Amino acid sequence: MIINVGRQLGSGGRTIAARLAERFGYRFYDRELLNLAAKESGFCEEFFERNDENKNFFKSVFHLHVPHMSDSSFYNNNLSQESLFKFQSDAIRKAAETGACVFVGRCADYVLRDRDDMINIFITANEDDRIKRIRERSGCEEAEARKRISKGDSERASYYNYYTGKKWGHSESYDLCVNSSILGIDATVDYIACFIERAMSAGDVATDK
């Protein structure tokens, strides 16, 4: 089956997704998708990194220095925001077809919406915990952590809402929304794993693909 994990910046969502993948023995895809999409498209990975969950990428794309790509290939391949999303979506579909996966963000829940062997999760956390994680990860001051959280969430929401027509972080867009601050990371993983196992045993998620 497929587990898709959306997350607020600093919520611990990536860590939770990675631990779910480890627990179930599934392959894990986060930034690995950017490399897969680059290989699929023939474009350098830098384009996908700059565009990663950011709908405003092309406001500055023509100011980038682009290594490993000639001008002719840049134009002949009809590069656009939608093209990059399509390449990444194709990479997500191909990865999903090869077996059980955990995907982090990147609208994977929408890209794979026609499948019936999925569970879509969203991870939130209290602001203080999010600030603490960002500060520990980057060594920045509290004010800077707040700015990064605001900017990161805004970009992810804009990207998700634009491509899916749904609302990022809103409960109706997911099967389960969890605040990781309540139980902590380890217990949140246990809780979500239990939810997934119960859903599978109840037959609410198809597992024969």
Side-chain angles (χ1 to χ4, degrees):
M1 64 173 293
I2 307 299
I3 302 170
N4 299 310
V5 179
R7 72 284 182 228
Q8 289 182 318
L9 187 65
S11 66
R14 186 188 187 281
T15 298
I16 290 168
R19 293 188 185 178
L20 287 170
E22 183 178 1
R23 168 150 332 176
F24 287 104
Y26 291 0
R27 284 168 298 117
F28 176 73
Y29 292 98
D30 182 17
R31 295 186 64 82
E32 294 83 357
L33 286 170
L34 307 182
N35 179 261
L36 292 176
K39 290 179 179 178
E40 287 292 325
S41 67
F43 292 117
C44 65
E45 192 171 345
E46 179 183 2
F47 275 95
F48 294 92
E49 291 175 348
R50 295 292 187 105
N51 186 53
D52 193 23
E53 297 185 291
N54 179 0
K55 192 171 71 67
N56 295 320
F57 166 70
F58 267 84
K59 289 182 178 179
S60 59
V61 67
F62 288 101
H63 300 291
L64 291 176
H65 169 66
V66 186
H68 314 305
M69 185 193 305
S70 66
D71 290 340
S72 61
S73 67
F74 182 96
Y75 292 107
N76 291 340
N77 281 281
N78 192 28
L79 182 66
S80 69
Q81 188 91 42
E82 282 66 32
S83 295
L84 291 182
F85 182 77
K86 180 182 182 302
F87 290 134
Q88 185 168 274
S89 298
D90 289 344
I92 290 171
R93 292 188 191 96
K94 287 189 176 183
E97 287 299 323
T98 63
C101 307
V102 176
F103 292 106
V104 177
R106 298 169 183 86
C107 302
D109 59 327
Y110 176 77
V111 172
L112 302 173
R113 63 193 179 279
D114 293 331
R115 299 179 66 108
D116 58 2
D117 58 344
M118 287 198 311
I119 287 186
N120 302 318
I121 312 292
F122 192 83
I123 308 298
T124 68
N126 296 343
E127 186 177 41
D128 287 347
D129 290 333
R130 297 172 68 194
I131 290 171
K132 181 180 178 181
R133 285 194 186 95
I134 296 299
R135 293 187 66 186
E136 288 175 349
R137 190 165 66 198
S138 63
C140 65
E141 296 298 323
E142 180 176 337
E144 177 61 23
R146 289 182 184 276
K147 286 175 58 178
R148 293 187 185 189
I149 286 171
S150 177
K151 183 174 184 292
D153 283 358
S154 177
E155 289 177 349
R156 288 177 182 179
S158 178
Y159 183 87
Y160 183 88
N161 296 349
Y162 177 79
Y163 285 111
T164 70
K166 300 193 294 180
K167 292 185 178 181
W168 180 81
H170 286 222
S171 60
E172 62 266 26
S173 298
Y174 309 91
D175 299 311
L176 178 68
C177 296
V178 181
N179 184 333
S180 63
S181 294
I182 296 175
L183 298 177
I185 296 297
D186 291 340
T188 297
V189 172
D190 292 338
Y191 177 80
I192 295 173
C194 181
F195 176 87
I196 293 170
E197 289 165 352
R198 290 288 296 271
M200 291 169 63
S201 63
D204 293 333
V205 179
T207 58
D208 58 349
K209 289 191 177 181

